Amino acid sequence: MSLRTRILLSLAPLALLLVALGAAGVMLLDRVGGGIDAILRENYVSVQAMFRLGEAAERIDSSFQFALAGREAFAARQFEANWVVLEEQFAVEAANVTIHPTEDELVSRLRGLKAEYRERGRQFYALPPGSPERTAMYFGPSGLLERFNESKAVAGEILRVNRENMEQARDRARDTARTAMGAFGAALGLVALLLAGAGWYLLRTILGPIRAVTEAAHAIGGSGQLERTVPVFGRDELGRLAAAFNVMTRELRKYRRSNLDRLVRAQRTAQATIDSFPDPVLVVDPAGRADLANPAARALFGVGPTAQGDPGPVWSPPEPLGGPVADALQLQRAYQPDQFDQTVSFRLGGEDRTYLPHVRPIRDPDGDTLGAAVVLHDVTRFRLLDQFKSDLVATVSHELKTPLTSVRLAVHILLEETVGPLTTKQTELLIDARDSAERLLALIEQLLALARLQKPHDEGTFHPADPAELLRTAADAARARADDKHITLAVNTNAVVPAVVVDSDRFGQALGNLLNNAITYTPPGGTVALAAGMTTDGAVVLSVADTGVGIPAEHLAHVFDRFFRIPGQSEEGGTGLGLAIVKEVVVAHRGTVTCESEPGKGTTFRIILPAHLAEGRS
């Protein structure tokens, strides 16, 4: 027997019983409704007619009293109008006499009293107004008042009989409803027994196998128990489901074994690949645990996957790498520096090693984060070569400075003609030699300054300083040169800004380079403005703006490069190291420097530094 047949056979008795209950309910409701309709049709109409008939009779009786009081016209109108109402309500009652014999007798009696009451009323109004006969006809024996009371009593009796009939009909309807409730209760009890039996049968024969399949599915999906099977109950749909489930688990076991072998090979290949790199390579999962690490990364960071291949504990990156790794995992932002000032240093094997870190997010095809790859390129040798180059430049510059100073002094002495007069040609040659010596000396000074900046900084030289005072000091030093070129030098220090922590000498040199650069490229009559302010996040901004020739947009990205000079401005330009020194100084102060320019309208340099907090931290 199929599962469908068993379910249908289990539910068939319930369906038949429900149909029977529905039919019985319809019949009982129709019976109760018919009883209520009989109450309304046979009794309520009579009750309402007798009530209205009594009201009309009272108004007719009042008309006789108004006539005795002298209000003849009003009394006659009231008599005629209410007599019409009385006749209408009596006709309603006469047409609605129930099977109760007493009501028929009472209606016949009321008909006679009504006719006699009508005739005596007409006789009353035929008598002259105010006559004694009228009073006697109303108050006398068998008078109008007595006939009114008899008619009202008969109408009240009819009203009582109909009310009793209504109460009896109500009691019959209530008994019918109680009987129906009892029958329905018994039927519902039977339905409950059948439901319990059908439920037990379904639980035993249907839900049992389904529960076994469900538990096996949870075991496979939750803990990977692919060896789990379910018993096969019969050859119905559930039995075929259980058999198909067992076949599926068998195929899954085969698939897992093949995939596991493939994964192991892929993992070993990936591990062998990164092991072949001499630089430290580390792959972390979204939680920050080390998923892959080559020997260089293990030796440097001391982390890596376990011997069983499981990810190691959560890796806490060292200070320079914490932010880039968090950005790669949370924001999918890559970190790829290419400057020596962005290198990190670690001590490995008893010596300091310098690395250029690269951090890249790893994404799946849907764009979700799978982890991050950290690669540290060992640039120790290149760093040493750069240091050697800087030291060589510093040494050569220092050695050149002394003889060049002597040559410069000799040229100045010759130009002053203290050792004898000079011809015009000799003077021109000495002036060219003096200018060349001055430019060469300036170049040597800037090379020495750049070499000093690349050495480790002494934190003891950093002290809190007022930004406005720094700007005024730099402006005072450059004011003479600005006045010589007829350039207005303005310092705007009206804004209240917090202090900054700086090395006054080095930072003053950076401001001086910006001012000299602005004065050099601003024509006479122009303006150079210095100002101090704050950014929205509370950092301090020092700006140097000029109204000079400006910088073309294609050269803005290179203005801070060493020895870079803007084409076409070589005659007025210097060595190309001034802005490079500015950047070195600002970076040493944990700040940033930006340049905005528009050809023909001027250039603005902004130095952004962290504010010095009240607790002494910056």
Side-chain angles (χ1 to χ4, degrees), residues 118-127 134 137:
R118 171 71 171 169
E119 182 61 28
R120 284 180 177 272
R122 289 177 177 175
Q123 293 175 3
F124 176 85
Y125 281 105
L127 294 175
R134 275 190 169 186
M137 183 175 287

Side-chain angles (χ1 to χ4, degrees), residues 200-221:
W200 176 82
Y201 177 76
L202 292 175
L203 286 173
R204 181 175 176 275
T205 62
I206 298 176
L207 295 184
I210 292 177
R211 184 183 298 110
V213 173
T214 303
E215 291 175 354
H218 280 296
I220 293 172

Side-chain angles (χ1 to χ4, degrees), residues 540-587:
V540 177
V541 180
L542 303 179
S543 63
V544 178
D546 62 59
T547 59
V549 296
I551 303 172
E554 64 269 19
H555 299 309
L556 284 176
H558 305 286
V559 293
F560 295 107
D561 294 347
R562 298 178 186 178
F563 302 106
F564 176 75
R565 300 175 66 184
I566 299 173
Q569 298 180 1
S570 302
E571 295 181 1
E572 297 182 356
T575 61
L577 290 175
L579 294 181
I581 292 175
V582 171
K583 182 179 179 181
E584 292 284 346
V585 171
V586 173
V587 170

